[in-house]
Amino acid sequence: SAARCEETVSHSGQAAAGARTRTSFAYSVQGVRICRTVFCSVYGVGRTRLKRLQKMVESGVCVPAPHGNVGKAPWNKYSVETRGRVIEFIKNYASVHGLPMPAAPRGRAQTAPTYLPSSCTHQSVWAQYSNASQQGEEVVGCKSFQRLWKKQLANIQIMSPRIDVCAKCETLRNVMKNADSEDFKIQSASDLKSHVELAQSEREFYRSCIEMAKTNPDTSTHITFDFAENFAIPYHARQPGPVYFKVLHRVNNFGIVNEAGAGQVHHLYHEGQTIGADNGKAHGPNCVVSILHRYLEKTPHAKSLHAHCDNCCGQNKNKTVLAYLCWRVLAGLEDEIMLSFMIVGHTRCSVDGGFGVVKKKFRASDTDSAAQLVDLIDGSGHRNKAALFDWHWRCWDDFFQAHFKKVQGITSYQHFRFSKDIPGKVEMKKTHSSEDIVTLQLMKDP
């Protein structure tokens, strides 16, 4: 080492039996002996620290010295009573203005969160706390207020702004917020919990259907279809001012995704190619069935087909779509078809992911024509593929009206099954786990 311990020596003038001894130290750097002053200068230590190190060498135990503030409370530490008042204020504020959730989000903490309105901020809540504090009470600062909130009450959160949220969830939350009695609030919370649990159950069923199709692609095919937001072209990432006031050309997009790995096909047709004039009837049942028929005719799939879509009655959940699927089974095109609808307001699915990838690419690109839009979609991801208008519109509803019945109370059912074992009939269930199955003769003349 740089400092080494030498033999102890006795002081002169002392008795041999009671002689005091002292340890002397020699200092060296890279084998060159130096004095203590140079040694302290080389290693940047003072006399006090050097003495402490010498004591460690003598004792044979060399450990880092503890910091001088270890075990001491900082001078600006708030008392337990002050922190308790902060926590109690946040809890009371959340009980008045917050919306408690029935359960924690999937994959997160077990504590159910309470959401404050999105118009709130941590600083605005702290300002109300500061104004509500009585004279003479210790008031914590804004930063300390936020740290206490995040550490002690992480389940109380500020709701982020969103669009296209579930109307039933929002209605029940507002009822809970404005409830006049505790019983009414408890009943509303129970209704909200049942609604959320049903949506989660249907979501788990949707995931299980996708996994089944991926595991057995030869025996089962699962597809999801929906309309996307229209494209308006020409579009430029840096849009000139006068273009904002122009009426742009609208291009419709109907997406169908095969979760087994075939990817997503975006069916594009502009406002001059719709069934009605000037983009009329662009999203009706005849449009849905025509594009779905084109996709099933061109895309190889298993004899057992399962489809998921949203709950829009004007597009998917209607007599025309049900009659078309029943007709496919009667024609021997499939052995079994299941059609499932997501809970209203909770319809986010895999096809929306493909739409999001395309939309992100579209906003950052310059697109002047439908051909450039096709190239953009094809280049947005390896699972996205565009298909320009190359099919025929057919009046499926007029054809099916003469041969198939209308399903009464169709909006109350979420799952429909067509099979060659029950030709011309449909089995309906309100939930995927329901044992109450309603069988209806859909074909007029079996």
Side-chain angles (χ1 to χ4, degrees), residues 36-53:
R36 184 178 60 187
T37 304
V38 176
F39 180 85
C40 292
S41 177
V42 170
Y43 286 96
V45 296
R47 292 287 300 273
T48 303
R49 187 175 181 184
L50 180 62
K51 288 182 178 181
R52 186 169 61 249
L53 293 173

Side-chain angles (χ1 to χ4, degrees), residues 101-298:
M101 295 294 99
R106 182 176 181 270
R108 299 189 185 178
Q110 298 299 322
T111 305
T114 299
Y115 289 114
L116 298 177
S118 56
S119 57
C120 291
T121 62
H122 291 95
Q123 188 170 2
S124 66
V125 178
W126 171 82
Q128 296 189 45
Y129 153 77
S130 180
N131 295 331
S133 299
Q134 298 180 2
Q135 188 175 4
E137 289 183 348
E138 186 180 20
V139 179
V140 304
C142 185
K143 292 294 184 181
S144 300
F145 183 86
Q146 294 183 31
R147 284 195 295 267
L148 276 172
W149 186 341
K150 293 180 179 180
K151 184 176 181 180
Q152 302 293 336
L153 301 170
N155 62 309
I156 300 178
Q157 305 170 13
I158 297 176
M159 189 181 304
S160 59
R162 293 181 58 188
I163 60 174
D164 195 21
V165 296
C166 176
K168 187 172 183 178
C169 288
E170 289 300 300
T171 301
L172 292 174
R173 287 170 183 166
N174 292 330
V175 169
M176 290 168 55
K177 181 179 178 179
N178 302 321
D180 297 332
S181 63
E182 290 296 329
D183 294 338
F184 196 38
K185 181 176 289 188
I186 292 174
Q187 180 61 41
S188 301
S190 177
D191 294 340
L192 179 59
K193 181 178 180 181
S194 301
H195 174 69
V196 173
E197 287 178 347
L198 176 60
Q200 290 177 344
S201 176
E202 293 295 332
R203 178 68 58 183
E204 291 298 329
F205 175 70
Y206 174 68
R207 293 192 180 100
S208 66
C209 294
I210 295 176
E211 290 300 322
M212 183 183 300
K214 291 181 178 180
T215 306
N216 305 303
D218 297 331
T219 59
S220 177
T221 299
H222 185 275
I223 62 173
T224 307
F225 56 88
D226 195 10
F227 280 99
E229 182 181 358
N230 294 347
F231 295 104
I233 55 176
Y235 176 84
H236 289 251
R238 296 176 59 86
Q239 186 185 63
V243 178
Y244 176 81
F245 301 97
K246 303 294 183 181
V247 179
L248 303 181
H249 194 60
R250 289 173 293 180
V251 179
N252 302 280
N253 182 10
F254 183 80
I256 304 177
V257 59
N258 185 338
E259 282 86 1
Q264 180 168 333
V265 180
H266 300 258
H267 299 82
L268 306 176
Y269 55 100
H270 59 73
E271 58 188 26
Q273 296 171 330
T274 56
I275 297 177
D278 297 330
N279 211 44
K281 299 181 180 181
H283 295 168
N286 285 327
C287 177
V288 172
V289 173
S290 296
I291 299 177
L292 187 61
H293 182 72
R294 182 259 184 198
Y295 177 84
L296 294 176
E297 290 298 306
K298 288 182 173 291

Side-chain angles (χ1 to χ4, degrees), residues 25 82 88 116 147 235 309 314 320 330 340:
F25 292 87
T82 301
E88 192 65 25
L116 298 177
R147 284 195 295 267
Y235 176 84
C309 54
T320 305
L330 289 172
S340 299

Side-chain angles (χ1 to χ4, degrees), residues 82-96:
T82 301
R83 287 180 290 165
R85 285 195 298 269
V86 172
I87 294 173
E88 192 65 25
F89 176 84
I90 298 174
K91 287 182 178 179
N92 293 336
Y93 188 89
S95 65
V96 175

Side-chain angles (χ1 to χ4, degrees), residues 10-14:
S10 301
H11 286 282
S12 60
Q14 298 291 336

